[in-house]
Amino acid sequence: MKPEDLASFRSLPKAEQDAVDAVGLEQWAAWEDRNAASILDRGGMVGKTTRVTKDGVAAAVNPFCGYLVVEAESIEAAARLFQDHPHITVFPGDGVDIMPFLT
């Protein structure tokens, strides 16, 4: 989620934010219900990033606002699960990144 998109959403009047949340959370729950067989870990929202390097610890920035673990036959199949996800159809998320676990 781009910081400016979240800031724009948070600048809306509280009633408008609540209206988007009401629609989005209902659709999010419905999406999870439709895809329950593929969801291994419902994940959650994540907070601010801290990066550790050989030079020390510092605040950092990345676009991730949460995570979810799914199982699919291919990365393309996993991507198709998210084409109608409320993160990008209702909320101000700009996309969903699909990253495979490598074994």
Side-chain angles (χ1 to χ4, degrees):
M1 183 179 291
K2 294 178 184 174
E4 60 270 22
D5 293 340
L6 179 59
S8 178
F9 177 72
R10 292 293 178 221
S11 72
L12 295 172
K14 179 80 168 104
E16 288 182 42
Q17 291 180 51
D18 290 347
V20 170
D21 284 344
V23 170
L25 293 175
E26 183 178 309
Q27 289 184 21
W28 197 302
W31 181 92
E32 285 189 354
D33 288 345
R34 284 192 313 276
N35 295 287
S38 298
I39 298 172
L40 300 181
D41 180 345
R42 291 196 186 292
M45 302 301 288
V46 296
K48 294 185 185 276
T49 302
T50 299
R51 182 168 175 83
V52 180
T53 69
K54 65 181 180 178
D55 297 322
V57 178
V61 177
N62 71 54
F64 301 110
C65 62
Y67 76 97
L68 177 77
V69 178
V70 299
E71 182 175 49
E73 291 185 20
S74 66
I75 197 154
E76 293 81 10
R80 283 191 298 274
L81 292 173
F82 291 91
Q83 287 182 314
D84 67 343
H85 196 280
H87 176 68
I88 55 177
T89 60
V90 178
F91 293 111
D94 65 309
V96 174
D97 291 323
I98 310 296
M99 294 174 275
F101 282 111
L102 303 176
T103 57

